[in-house]
Structures are given as C-alpha cells and as structure tokens.
Amino acid sequence: MPRTITVNLQTVTPIWTGDVDRTSDQVRETGLMGSVRWWTEVLIRGLGGYACDPTGDDRCAFDEEAFRRTGQAEDGLRDVCPACRLFGCTGWSSKLRLVVTDGQGGYEVNLNRAGVPFTMNFFELKPTLPQERWLLIKAVWLIVRYGSIGGKTPLKPPGQPDYGLVVPVSPLRLPRLTRDQVSTWLADLMAASPPLQRRQERAHPDWPDLRFFFFNDKTWLDLGKINEVMRSDSSGFLSGRRGVSKKVFSFQKGNRFWGYTRDEEMLDGVLGTLQRLGIRDTRTGEEVISEL
Ligand SMILES: [Zn+2]
C-alpha cells in the first residue's frame, strides 16, 4: 500500500497561500509544496549535493530515450537531481501529492489565521526512498525550527502581519538514517552522473545553500536593523537590488529572522553587522546542519 507521510502542524501566524480569503485548495497546496521543495533544495546543496533551479535554464529533464531502451525509470533519472527525483521535472511527475487537512482529517482548513491546527499529508504516488523522506522531513524541520513556509515573507514595516510561521504539534517522524548516510547517498548520485557533476560545477552561486544561511530564533529585526544588515553587502545580493528577491526575512510575532548570503565572505559580513548591532545567538547554516 502506498505510504502517506503526515506532518501535524499549527499556524503561529497566517500562512500566505496565494490569495486573500478564498484560495482553491490546489493553489494552496501547490504553494506549500513549492516552499517545502525550496527548503529541500537548500538542504541538498548544504549537504554537498546538487539541486537544480527548477525555474532556470539548466533544470533537469527525465531522459525518455534512456527509459525507453530499458524500461527502467532509474535509467531515465540518471542525470536528474535528487530534488527533481522527488518533486518532479519535465517528463517525470512528483513522487508525492500534498493534501492539507484539519486536525480531524477534514478538508476545510483556513490557513489565513493564527492558531489553526492542520496536517500536511504527503501521499506517495511513486515509492520514495528513506533518504528522500529524511530530506523532506528535515526540510519541514528547518521550516518549523528556524524558517517559515509559503510565499509573502517579505520585508514589512513593523506592525504589518507576519506570514508563514508554524510549529509542530506532534514529533516529526524520521527514517532511521544519519546525516552522514544521506550525504553519502547524495555523493553517490553525483558520482554516477558526469552530467550532474558538470552542472554542479557551473551552478549559479546565487542559488541558496544552507551553509551560507543565518538564523535567529530569539529576536527579530526592525526595518532599520534589516537595512543595516543589507548595507553589509555592497553587491546588492541581500537587498535584491539586482532584480532578484530580498534575502532577509524577519518575524516580529515569532521573534525570529532568517536569511541567506551567497558565500562565506558575505555571511561573515552579515554576522559582523549583527554583532555590532548587539544581536546575539545568530546561528550559521553550518551550525544548523550539525543539528540535523
Ligand atoms: Zn533538478
């Protein structure tokens, strides 16, 4: 019987799921799945693996020809990154379908409010590997412990509602694997695919990688402090000046902020600024990886 991976959560703030009040379930689920996928990609890269940018030119595609020759899905997947293997790419549909239910299994759930219990049910459409389930659940762990879920977690003037904070209401259930075992699996996938290795070498340095993140679950940043942090990076990466989205997200209600830089040097600059502002207890991505 196909497995269902369930995660029981509760909103701390509304979750932005793409519409004001009445969002179709499909839009909402697609948005939440996109967010879980994003964190999974971040995690894969942080563990030294390769995850493509599914919206970019260098994204993965299932090799139909290789598949037709042998009839083995694995042959079509050889050069497909681990994120696309799980969540799908051109020619290969996702192994999971997300359905959100309320605490009792009902389908009427309004995530645009705080304090709403809900369950993310990931229905297996194709068999998943323990390593993939580990990555999925750890991505959810990153979201609840340090991050946020859904779109619209931008910079807002103080007083505006925060979006996307959730807490678990029951322990996250993980496959019995260590971080090292999953890292080894990711390395093995790379070793088996020279095209993936080449794509990793030319991966864009702006792609988010957990190693270069920063997290704080003790305090939030007001707009003035956010601007200070952004000023520590003259390249404009953090502020999104170069036409990309901003990289610092602060939550007054949750006493939390997180963000990401593109490399160690930029991360050091941010950490220095935070220290100068008297903000303690900021954790680096490397430190969070060691908690996984
Ligand atoms: Zn991919």
Side-chain angles (χ1 to χ4, degrees), residues 52 60 81 84 199:
C52 75
C60 299
C81 79
C84 288
R199 289 169 64 204

Side-chain angles (χ1 to χ4, degrees), residues 209-239:
D209 179 323
L210 186 52
R211 286 172 288 195
F212 309 123
F213 274 55
F214 50 93
F215 300 96
N216 193 306
D217 63 341
K218 301 273 192 295
T219 188
W220 65 291
L221 300 174
D222 62 25
L223 211 53
K225 288 185 178 132
I226 288 172
N227 287 334
E228 282 289 312
V229 170
M230 287 184 177
R231 267 198 289 276
S232 62
D233 157 41
S234 56
S235 75
F237 177 78
L238 290 175
S239 60

